[in-house]
Amino acid sequence: MMIEIQGHRGVLATRHGNTLASFVEALRLGVDAIEVDIWLTSDGQLALRHDAVIDDVDIRRGALREAVVEKCPDTSTDVDVETRTPTLAEALALMRFADATNVVLDIEVKTDGTPWDEYGQSIVAALAAVLRVHQHEQALRVRSFDPQVIRAMADELRDIPLVALSRANTGQLPGLYPSEPETLIKAALATGASAVAPEFSLLDGGLVAAAHAAGLKVYPWTLTSDDQIRRAVHLGVDGVCVNDVALARDTLAGLDRVLPPACPILLPFLQSVDSA
């Protein structure tokens, strides 16, 4: 059985997340999918960043040109020269340029876990418009913690796989999938998802078995160690979302699993001055 390697925001272990440099590194190492996060800016751009607010500036209320790139100083070397948050359109162009259209661009629609509102409707409509153009030329998938987003995407685009994201929570909030396995699976099926992506702390054999029995794939997140990856494989998951792609490849190779091919690509404008 093949285990899909999903690069979390690219390669968060060594690059700032949701940057073109991080995606290039993921492709260089070899992944089956690249997970990215999107927000909708006030000027109608689908911007790639994990957090809406950085330095008290909300990406949803500003223009793309004002949106700084996310930085992860605890896990990244400061080698990236990008300063502006990239867009989904730029990521799609990169995948075409790299001849990596078979690598899944796994797009997480970010919300605040609030009841369905105008912003939710707007970001779904903007995303659907972009994916409708690219769905036959790029491998795509959409994920969200918000069941309202997944239901709306299922109505908009029936051919793109959808993933119900779940994290540990004490109750079922309107804008979040539940964390209890049975109710998560029911909610995923009801909203049109074809997979569930539980936080690693929620993962166990019962959840995997029940999801598979319901026809759902299982993609736990975010696995950060060899032991976690091995445990997930032992439980029979379909893919792993990881920060460290090299580690995941080494672990899966040690388990005699098939690895995705490397896809090296050189973008001169992403080279730092020191390496030029």
Side-chain angles (χ1 to χ4, degrees), residues 16-30:
H16 298 308
N18 288 309
T19 59
L20 298 182
S22 192
F23 306 154
V24 166
E25 179 68 359
L27 293 173
R28 183 188 72 80
L29 292 169

Side-chain angles (χ1 to χ4, degrees), residues 18-19 64-69 81-87 90:
N18 288 309
T19 59
L64 176 67
R65 65 179 179 275
E66 302 162 350
V68 298
V69 73
V81 297
E82 295 167 79
T83 56
R84 176 185 58 75
T85 292
T87 65
E90 288 169 332

